[in-house]
Amino acid sequence: MSPVTAATPAPAGDLVLRCTNLHRHLGQGEGRVHVLKGVSFEARRGQVDAIVGPSGCGKSTLLYLLGLLDQPDEGQIEINGQRMSNSDDLARTAARGAHIGFVFQFHFLMLEFTALENVLMPMRKLAKLAPGAMEARAHALLGSVGLGEKTRRLATQLSGGEQQRVAIARALANEPAIILADEPTGNLDMKNSAMVFDLLTRLAKDHGQAVVLVTHNPEIAQRCDFTRPMRDGLFV
Amino acid sequence: MSPNLRIAFRFLTAKKRAMMMSLSCTILGVGLFIVTQATTSGFESFFIKTMIGSDGALRIVDRIQDTMRSMGVSGAAGIQVRALEGVKYLEGIDEPRRIIEAVNEFAGVLGVSAVLKGDVQISSSFKLERAQIFGIDLAQHLRVSQLARKIVAGRLEDFGKSPSAALMGRVLADRLQLTVGDSFVINVRGESRRYRVVAIFETGLRDIDRTRLYLDLVEARSLLKKPTGATFIQMNLDDPKRAPALAARMVEMLHHNVEPWQLREVEWLQTFRALRISSAITVTVFTLIAGLAMFNTLAMIVIEKTKDIAILRSMGFERRDITQIFLWQAAIVLAFGAVGGALFGAAVTSAVEHVPLTISTLFKTDHFLVEWNPWHYVEAIATAVVMVMIASLVPARRAARLEPGDIVRGTAQ
């Protein structure tokens, strides 16, 4: 891993994420709902996939399953060829830290920390780099999202668009193979939406990462490499 | 600094009010534990020190005699078998010199003194009082008591200069209205002899100061008509806590009844122990409150930080990292609370030590007695650690159990 400007893109087209026949129920008793009804999906390096669909169709649930934040009731998930769906919490956590970067709709920055510290956090946990190299990479990532001047600002001192850009830098911190974004522009105005989407896709493509994003925004969806519409727990 | 410690510290400082509340409770818990232990132990250790300084750590008091009984053997007329029936305690020591020689062979014995004791009546020009004379060899007795340090009037050196010299307890002297240089008469078994007060002592133990009078051992033998023997042999040990073990060995080897100070003063020691336990229970409640405050703070932080927990989990932080982050918070509060509590406890103990308090019944003091014992600090901190860490485990484990998927979906329970 190296500062973002010196990164060497991985070969495009490699399959990094595959899920087959995913089923997921949510709720209990009479409120139990069959949210995902046998979804299969693949993501490749350098490719941006958009999952679109009406609210409640199961797109965010699918994203959390793909990100190993949740476990399917049935079906398989493979990350970099490694089957993860039946693995234990430790293995799934390790895979998240090493291979997956998340961008959430509501930024989800840690508010007591500065922009720099937020970006440093996943690197410190993975501890692959020396402290100096971590700082250099975090500065470079924040520079690449246009926040090079605001690295020492607390998350609370940043605007919504700036927070989301920090979240993108954080998602890229450990050079994950996969970036999963849950409505990354859903909470931003048009100008910031376009900026965030451009950043996300440009940086991911530059570094050969697979981007899977969930969005309601048809303009964003159209600009992705592939659009996968979902309805009632299935791709249509 | 580890990532978990860094996060813990930031979480805590973000909740300043709650953190200050937990910290205050911990400081109070640790501090009050130290103060109460220092004060309750203060009186107890003063009593023990005074009592050992006056009456020694060990006393050989009686001779033990086995009692035998005879049994006839069935079918063998005229044949008797003698069997051990029990033991009998014969008052006093018949051969103190031999016992002293034997006792000096025991490791840890710093001094041995034979004492001849007897009940007498003392009369001055004003009054008649009952008293106990203690016949001592001064040189020997100074090695088993703090008598030299307890002289409040007169000169101890004058004691050996004349057979009529006497050391008198301060309360007894006051009651008889005697001062140094005054003479008085001892009446025993119809005989009267005149003595002179050469020094007045005050041990602080009222029972002793009101009844005790020291005479030279030779003079006491003559007065009490006991040319040999002693009432008891008093010993001083390098480690008074070892007195019971040493007493058991001496009983076995010397065949005399040996009383350690712990047995001799068992009633008072039990009273002090009950007081100490009672105060320990009270102060444990304080540390329990510190634990509850910590539980409250952490539970609040867990509720407020569920989103952060989800972020951390999504970044690869394991469940045990989350547990550690919350336990670190407790540990940080504990560390500051322990230091603050120790300083607070020391400051209050020091202040209490200067509180004027006049006691002249069981022992004599003009101020509050405290004991400066590092173990009180260790015990206070250990109690706080146990209480706070146990209280912190519940919210820490709850935080670790949160499912990141549930949190980001907004369904975390």
Side-chain angles (χ1 to χ4, degrees):
Chain A
M1 208 183 294
S2 53
V4 69
T5 46
T8 310
D14 287 356
L15 186 66
V16 288
L17 171 67
R18 187 212 305 262
C19 70
T20 48
N21 193 31
L22 286 187
H23 285 264
R24 182 72 172 110
H25 296 81
L26 291 177
Q28 287 178 329
E30 288 183 3
R32 188 170 161 85
V33 180
H34 197 172
V35 181
L36 293 181
K37 301 168 180 172
V39 174
S40 298
F41 177 79
E42 286 181 358
R44 294 177 183 278
R45 284 188 182 274
Q47 183 177 301
V48 180
D49 291 275
I51 300 172
V52 296
S55 294
C57 70
K59 48 190 192 303
S60 291
T61 303
L62 173 62
L63 201 75
Y64 302 148
L65 287 177
L66 297 178
L68 308 178
L69 290 174
D70 196 4
Q71 277 187 292
D73 299 321
E74 198 183 321
Q76 303 294 340
I77 299 169
E78 284 176 31
I79 308 259
N80 277 340
Q82 198 178 348
R83 186 172 288 188
M84 302 304 303
S85 38
N86 297 321
S87 55
D88 61 14
D89 186 71
L90 265 181
R92 285 187 292 126
T93 305
R96 274 201 300 272
H99 304 304
I100 302 170
F102 287 93
V103 181
F104 299 101
Q105 180 179 358
F106 295 103
H107 328 315
F108 274 23
L109 293 187
M110 295 183 71
L111 300 177
E112 292 83 12
F113 293 84
T114 63
L116 185 72
E117 287 170 329
N118 266 283
V119 179
L120 278 169
M121 210 164 284
M123 286 193 269
R124 281 178 173 152
K125 176 58 197 159
L126 199 62
K128 265 191 177 173
L129 298 176
M134 286 185 203
E135 284 236 2
R137 179 167 171 75
H139 276 290
L141 280 166
L142 284 168
S144 69
V145 297
L147 292 171
E149 303 296 312
K150 297 183 176 179
T151 56
R152 300 285 171 189
R153 288 218 185 156
L154 284 174
T156 48
Q157 295 166 335
L158 298 171
S159 69
E162 287 171 336
Q163 285 193 29
Q164 198 60 304
R165 278 144 65 193
V166 175
I168 290 169
R170 187 182 63 190
L172 294 165
N174 285 337
E175 283 195 306
I178 307 149
I179 304 283
L180 300 174
D182 187 10
E183 308 226 26
T185 61
N187 211 27
L188 303 176
D189 59 26
M190 276 184 66
K191 187 181 158 202
N192 271 311
S193 291
M195 186 197 285
V196 163
F197 177 75
D198 288 344
L199 258 177
L200 187 61
T201 51
R202 178 174 58 80
L203 290 172
K205 284 199 179 245
D206 284 354
H207 297 89
Q209 282 146 334
V211 178
V212 181
L213 61 89
V214 163
T215 183
H216 274 111
N217 187 331
E219 283 177 28
I220 297 281
Q222 273 175 7
R223 293 174 62 194
C224 294
D225 297 326
F226 296 95
T227 304
R228 307 295 304 271
M230 265 187 95
R231 188 171 296 156
D232 292 335
L234 283 168
F235 284 123
V236 288
Chain B
M1 194 191 289
S2 80
N4 295 349
L5 177 56
R6 194 186 298 265
I7 295 166
F9 192 76
R10 207 60 73 82
F11 276 4
L12 259 188
T13 49
K15 297 289 301 174
K16 284 192 182 68
R17 193 175 293 179
M19 192 266 286
M20 287 309 289
M21 177 66 83
S22 303
L23 187 59
S24 311
C25 288
T26 310
I27 289 173
L28 265 181
V30 171
L32 292 177
F33 193 106
I34 289 166
V35 172
T36 46
Q37 289 303 97
T39 49
T40 48
S41 308
F43 285 100
E44 183 180 5
S45 56
F46 180 78
F47 171 76
I48 291 170
K49 211 167 122 187
T50 310
M51 177 263 297
I52 291 177
S54 302
D55 289 343
L58 270 181
R59 272 183 176 185
I60 299 175
V61 287
D62 301 316
R63 190 156 59 86
I64 297 172
Q65 190 178 64
D66 292 333
T67 54
M68 312 295 284
R69 68 190 160 118
S70 300
M71 291 180 292
V73 177
S74 64
I79 297 178
Q80 296 274 308
V81 174
R82 284 168 64 79
L84 186 66
E85 186 181 50
V87 291
K88 197 162 81 178
Y89 294 98
L90 302 176
E91 201 177 310
I93 316 292
D94 285 346
E95 296 176 89
R97 194 183 297 268
R98 275 188 54 215
I99 297 292
I100 287 172
E101 279 171 12
V103 162
N104 274 322
E105 297 299 315
F106 283 84
V109 176
L110 297 179
V112 189
S113 170
V115 178
L116 184 69
K117 185 178 141 189
D119 294 329
V120 296
Q121 276 193 329
I122 298 178
S123 56
S124 68
S125 317
F126 300 95
K127 222 176 164 192
L128 188 72
E129 287 284 340
R130 299 182 75 83
Q132 290 183 324
I133 58 167
F134 279 59
I136 56 167
D137 176 313
L138 184 64
Q140 276 186 352
H141 206 71
L142 291 180
R143 296 183 64 199
V144 300
S145 73
Q146 295 181 334
L147 187 59
R149 276 188 260 167
K150 303 295 177 184
I151 301 297
V152 291
R155 283 159 41 91
L156 191 61
E157 297 76 37
D158 294 342
F159 182 71
K161 287 180 181 169
S162 157
S164 65
L167 303 174
M168 188 174 279
R170 200 181 75 92
V171 179
L172 182 62
D174 286 349
R175 289 166 77 106
L176 291 166
Q177 298 183 38
L178 295 173
T179 57
V180 174
D182 290 348
S183 64
F184 61 92
V185 174
I186 294 179
N187 307 301
V188 56
R189 296 189 194 109
E191 187 187 344
S192 298
R193 288 192 196 181
R194 184 164 290 276
Y195 295 90
R196 193 169 58 88
V197 179
V198 294
I200 293 173
F201 63 87
E202 184 172 28
T203 63
L205 295 173
R206 193 175 170 82
D207 275 352
I208 293 175
D209 297 338
R210 199 185 58 183
T211 57
R212 195 167 294 182
L213 179 81
Y214 288 106
L215 293 180
D216 181 71
L217 182 60
V218 176
E219 176 60 25
R221 285 192 195 288
S222 161
L223 179 67
L224 297 172
K225 307 279 188 284
K226 289 182 180 170
T228 59
T231 311
F232 59 84
I233 290 172
Q234 184 167 321
M235 283 168 270
N236 187 15
L237 306 179
D238 59 353
D239 179 9
K241 285 181 188 156
R242 284 185 53 235
L246 208 54
R249 280 179 52 212
M250 285 182 180
V251 168
E252 204 173 299
M253 295 186 72
L254 306 175
H255 227 58
H256 278 69
N257 186 22
V258 185
E259 270 187 355
W261 60 272
Q262 293 95 331
L263 188 66
R264 199 169 66 221
E265 304 293 342
V266 68
E267 292 91 354
W268 282 115
L269 293 175
Q270 278 179 349
T271 307
F272 281 120
R273 187 161 172 262
L275 276 173
R276 216 171 51 235
I277 291 170
S278 158
S279 66
I281 290 168
T282 312
V283 292
T284 302
V285 172
F286 286 117
T287 48
L288 188 67
I289 291 168
L292 284 175
M294 197 67 233
F295 173 86
N296 209 27
T297 303
L298 289 187
M300 205 183 329
I301 293 176
V302 170
I303 291 167
E304 289 183 12
K305 295 290 177 193
T306 50
K307 200 179 74 178
D308 297 61
I309 291 166
I311 297 168
L312 292 169
R313 298 279 284 129
S314 75
M315 288 191 293
F317 281 75
E318 297 166 11
R319 289 191 198 280
R320 67 174 172 202
D321 290 318
I322 306 297
T323 305
Q324 265 180 25
I325 286 168
F326 283 89
L327 291 182
W328 266 124
Q329 292 177 60
I332 291 166
V333 170
L334 260 176
F336 284 102
V339 173
L343 292 174
F344 172 67
V348 176
T349 304
S350 174
V352 166
E353 196 176 17
H354 292 95
V355 171
L357 176 77
T358 306
I359 296 177
S360 55
T361 48
L362 177 59
F363 45 73
K364 186 177 171 65
T365 176
D366 56 0
H367 65 279
F368 219 94
L369 295 168
V370 298
E371 187 190 10
W372 292 94
N373 186 341
W375 281 106
H376 295 159
Y377 293 74
V378 174
E379 285 166 14
I381 291 168
T383 309
V385 167
V386 170
M387 292 288 183
V388 172
M389 292 316 278
I390 287 174
S392 309
L393 266 178
V394 177
R397 289 171 68 98
R398 184 181 180 276
R401 276 201 308 269
L402 289 172
E403 287 295 340
D406 290 341
I407 299 168
V408 287
R409 252 199 314 267
T411 57
Q413 296 298 307

